[in-house]
Structure formats: structure tokens, C-alpha cells
Amino acid sequence: LYYCIFGLMTTTTMMMMMMMLWTQGILSILAVNTLQATAFVSPVRTTTAATATATTTSPETALYVSTDSLIGTPTELPDSLDDGAEIAAQACADFAETAGPCGRCRIDFDTSVGDETYTILKTSTEFMQKLVTSICYLMIPGVQQRKQQEMMRMSQARAELRALGEPAQDDDQQTTQKRDQLVQILRTQGVDPQNTEWTGPIARIYFPDEGNAALARRDWAGEGLVPPCVAFSSCGGVQSQNDVTNDHIIFFFCPKASESESVEELLLKTEQNAPNLKLTIFVNPNLVDMGVTGFGMAGRLLRERLIEPLTHTYYLRTLQWGALTRVWPRDFSIWQEDENAEGGYRLIQTQNKLPSNPEVEDIYDMENGLMDQPKEGFGFLNALGDFVNGMTKL
């Protein structure tokens, strides 16, 4: 029995050493390739020494300059879809102010609870419309002022209509025409028909394909669901020659792995040619896929040079038993449904980084007595688990 145990321990030790050496060899090869590829999508412009320092450090640690008091605090759940979009927009504006020109961040919004009846683009469209609107009001000069003018025209039109009273048969032609004009102002939400063109800064949304971009031009812009400063483009298919020199904000809405190369090219092009670019926002990105990029070297390089540097300015994912949320620069917070708690949810744990799906489920199980707390210290199974988790990230 002693020799059997000794032989098993020796074999296990040799296997772990071989796996460590093999892993180091693979990582050294990947490091060389990464050095050659990272420059492709690095932010191409910095204006001050403070900005340069911020953009070369980890986005999760060095960019919290003016928001130190919020670090380590839990994130509250939003009250509604509108509230979530406004909170996400404010977080992006705060991040852009801290990060400087050409900042990059991401927003993840998923309330499907695993239901795959509709695509993530479909289920997050309403949130995206409200998010884009709120960000434009906060970050695009002239948009808020134009909206205030439209609201003022509507208020004046309502007041004049009340003064005219109800339509009557003895109304003269001038009164009838005036009433029609006022009604038209209300129908158009106060938009001045003589000033429909937008010539100011642009917020551009890149959709995965031209079909979705065309639908957004018709529905979003045509029905006034987003401000007039919004332009619609696509990542996939034949690229149109967009003039990006006036782009201040760009969104990549649900970009897929099949468009990863186009996304990188568009991002680099805009950062090089848009002198006033403030922020790039990835909304529900899915740029690494087993069937397209794979989880090997290609997927790892893409993740390192484009995905991992992105800061989560807003995160909300609903679960069967609760929700996981984060507003930059607060912590990721895990909430569990509890009818006895204020608001119907209670906070069970916070983390300074995004926990994986198994980690979230383990936290729930441990909180509810369905799983023992993990033992601290070094062990063969713990080391093997760390090794497997590391290999899955290659």
C-alpha cells in the first residue's frame, strides 16, 4: 500500500510538472504573437500626460481618479428599464471624463434569464434606444438644447390651443389655419420643420449587418426614438464610405464573432480620423465564438487586444433567483430575490471583478446552505482546478 501511494504521488507530481512546462511554452509563444498584434487596436491618441498614464494602465484600477469614494461600494438594482438606461449613460459619461479621448468601455444588458426565443439584439433594442438617447443628451453638444427648444414649442402650442378654445363653425380661416399649425407642432413633438437637418457632432451606431441598420434608420430615426445626431452604420457586409471625422461617440451594438475583424478595422479607422472622438461603447458584444474565432490562439489574442481592456461601465444580468449588476466604478453585486427585503432583493455578495457563471451559482448555493464554504490553502484538486480554468482561457 505504501509503494502504491508513493507511486501515485510521484506520477501526479510529474504530470503537474509536465503540464506546467507545456503551459509555459504555449504562453511564451502566445506572448510573442500578442506583442505583434496588440498595437493594432490600441488607442491611437492621447493629449496629456495624465491621459497617457490612464490609458496604459489596467482599466479596472487606474481610471478611478475622480470616483475613488465609490470604489468598493455595492451597486443597487435599477428601478426600471428607463432608470437602468439613464444610470448606464451617466456611468459612461463619468468614465469618458476620467479616461480621456478614445476611451473604450462595454455595457452588458441581458434580462432574458436564459430564454433564447429572441436574439440578444432583439431583447435589448428598447434599452439601446433609451441608452443612446440619454448618452447623447449628456455628451453630444447641442442635443439637449435642441430638445429643450422642441419642448418649449410644444408647451407654447398647447397654451395657444387652449386660448383658441374648441373648434366652432363660425371660426374664420385664419383661426382654422392657426389651429392646424399648432396641432401639427404637437404631432411632430415640437420639431421645427425648417430645421430638420443635424450638422453637429455625430453619435454613430454600428449594427452587425446592413439589414438591422436599415431597419433602425426607418424605425428609430423615423419615429423619433433617438436624437437627430445619431447615425446608423453596419459592421458586416460591404462597408460604406462613412465620413467619421465628426464622430464623437461610437456604439457597437451586439457585434458578433463573424464581424470581429471588421469591428477592429472600424475602431482603428475612427480613432485615427475622428479628432474629437470621446468614447467607444460596446453593447452586448459576443466577439469570441467557438465556431468562428475558436477558444485557442485566435480567440485568446482577440480577447487580449480588444475585449479584456474594455471597462464594464454597466452590467445587468437577471438570474432565475436574482440578478448580477455593476455600475462603474462600483463593485459587481449579486442580489437574491427576497420578499422580506426592501425592494424585494437582498445583497448577498460583492466582487471587484466580474464573476463567472459557476462562481455566481456557487455563491448562491453557499449563501443558502446548499454548498459548503471552500477550504483555503493549497491542495491538489484546487491546483488542478486553477490549471483547468487557466487552460479554458487560452
Side-chain angles (χ1 to χ4, degrees):
L1 180 61
Y2 170 79
Y3 287 111
C4 290
I5 296 175
F6 178 77
L8 179 61
M9 292 177 63
T10 304
T11 303
T12 302
T13 303
M14 292 179 63
M15 289 178 62
M16 291 183 64
M17 292 178 63
M18 291 175 64
M19 288 189 292
M20 292 174 63
L21 291 174
W22 179 77
T23 304
Q24 291 176 356
I26 292 294
L27 292 178
S28 63
I29 295 173
L30 292 176
V32 175
N33 292 327
T34 302
L35 290 175
Q36 297 174 351
T38 47
F40 181 65
V41 292
S42 298
V44 297
R45 185 174 69 253
T46 53
T47 56
T48 63
T51 301
T53 303
T55 53
T56 54
T57 343
S58 171
E60 296 296 335
T61 55
L63 296 178
Y64 308 153
V65 178
S66 60
T67 51
D68 289 339
S69 61
L70 298 177
I71 299 174
T73 59
T75 300
E76 299 290 335
L77 289 172
D79 296 328
S80 62
L81 182 69
D82 290 12
D83 185 41
E86 292 175 1
I87 292 173
Q90 186 62 59
C92 289
D94 294 341
F95 173 79
E97 184 177 351
T98 304
C102 293
R104 300 177 185 175
C105 65
R106 67 180 290 173
I107 292 175
D108 289 86
F109 179 84
D110 182 10
T111 56
S112 63
V113 199
D115 185 2
E116 298 182 358
T117 304
Y118 300 101
T119 64
I120 187 66
L121 188 145
K122 178 68 174 178
T123 57
S124 56
T125 291
E126 184 180 0
F127 172 81
M128 182 67 176
Q129 293 168 349
K130 298 179 182 299
L131 170 70
V132 170
T133 300
S134 298
I135 289 181
C136 289
Y137 288 155
L138 289 171
M139 300 183 64
I140 299 295
V143 177
Q144 185 68 35
Q145 292 79 357
R146 181 163 175 164
K147 183 63 176 178
Q148 290 173 350
Q149 293 173 0
E150 293 171 354
M151 294 176 65
M152 182 64 68
R153 293 186 74 230
M154 292 180 62
S155 177
Q156 292 175 350
R158 290 193 185 97
E160 292 183 26
L161 273 175
R162 285 195 296 267
L164 290 176
E166 295 294 329
Q169 293 182 352
D170 57 348
D171 286 344
D172 57 23
Q173 184 177 2
Q174 183 178 1
T175 302
T176 303
Q177 291 178 349
K178 182 63 175 177
R179 181 178 286 106
D180 292 341
Q181 292 174 358
L182 296 174
V183 171
Q184 183 64 23
I185 291 175
L186 296 178
R187 286 176 179 172
T188 59
Q189 300 293 314
V191 176
D192 186 356
Q194 305 298 327
N195 187 27
T196 56
E197 283 294 323
W198 176 263
T199 58
I202 297 297
R204 189 177 302 277
I205 306 176
Y206 286 100
F207 287 80
D209 52 71
E210 183 56 34
N212 282 296
L215 288 174
R217 290 189 198 99
R218 185 195 69 184
D219 299 337
W220 297 22
E223 298 179 11
L225 299 177
V226 291
C229 64
V230 177
F232 304 93
S233 302
S234 65
C235 298
V238 179
Q239 292 296 326
S240 60
Q241 298 299 320
N242 296 317
D243 181 11
V244 299
T245 55
N246 203 24
D247 288 7
H248 276 46
I249 304 172
I250 57 174
F251 298 86
F252 288 99
F253 185 30
C254 297
K256 298 180 293 186
S258 55
E259 285 88 43
S260 58
E261 184 176 349
S262 299
V263 168
E264 290 182 310
E265 292 176 355
L266 290 167
L267 179 58
L268 180 63
K269 173 187 173 182
T270 306
E271 289 182 341
Q272 288 178 335
N273 298 317
N276 297 313
L277 181 65
K278 295 180 179 180
L279 186 63
T280 298
I281 305 172
F282 288 78
V283 181
N284 288 339
N286 183 25
L287 293 171
V288 177
D289 183 81
M290 184 63 179
V292 182
T293 59
F295 291 134
M297 182 180 297
R300 176 187 174 89
L301 293 178
L302 177 64
R303 189 161 41 239
E304 287 184 349
R305 69 177 181 261
L306 180 61
I307 302 173
E308 289 182 353
L310 299 176
T311 298
H312 275 100
T313 50
Y314 187 76
Y315 188 99
L316 178 64
R317 179 163 62 92
T318 55
L319 308 167
Q320 294 285 353
W321 43 266
L324 171 62
T325 187
R326 194 261 176 126
V327 176
W328 183 87
R330 299 176 183 269
D331 281 354
F332 290 91
S333 303
I334 304 172
W335 295 82
Q336 180 180 342
E337 290 183 355
D338 187 347
E339 59 183 10
N340 297 322
E342 182 179 359
Y345 290 86
R346 63 182 175 89
L347 180 68
I348 59 177
Q349 193 172 115
T350 62
Q351 294 193 6
N352 59 5
K353 63 181 183 66
L354 176 64
S356 64
N357 292 340
E359 289 174 336
V360 172
E361 294 301 326
D362 288 346
I363 291 170
Y364 170 79
D365 290 342
M366 288 184 289
E367 175 70 18
N368 294 274
L370 304 176
M371 178 181 177
D372 295 333
Q373 295 285 342
K375 296 181 180 180
E376 297 182 358
F378 179 81
F380 170 69
L381 293 180
N382 290 337
L384 183 60
D386 293 340
F387 173 78
V388 172
N389 289 334
M391 288 300 298
T392 59
K393 296 180 180 179
L394 291 178

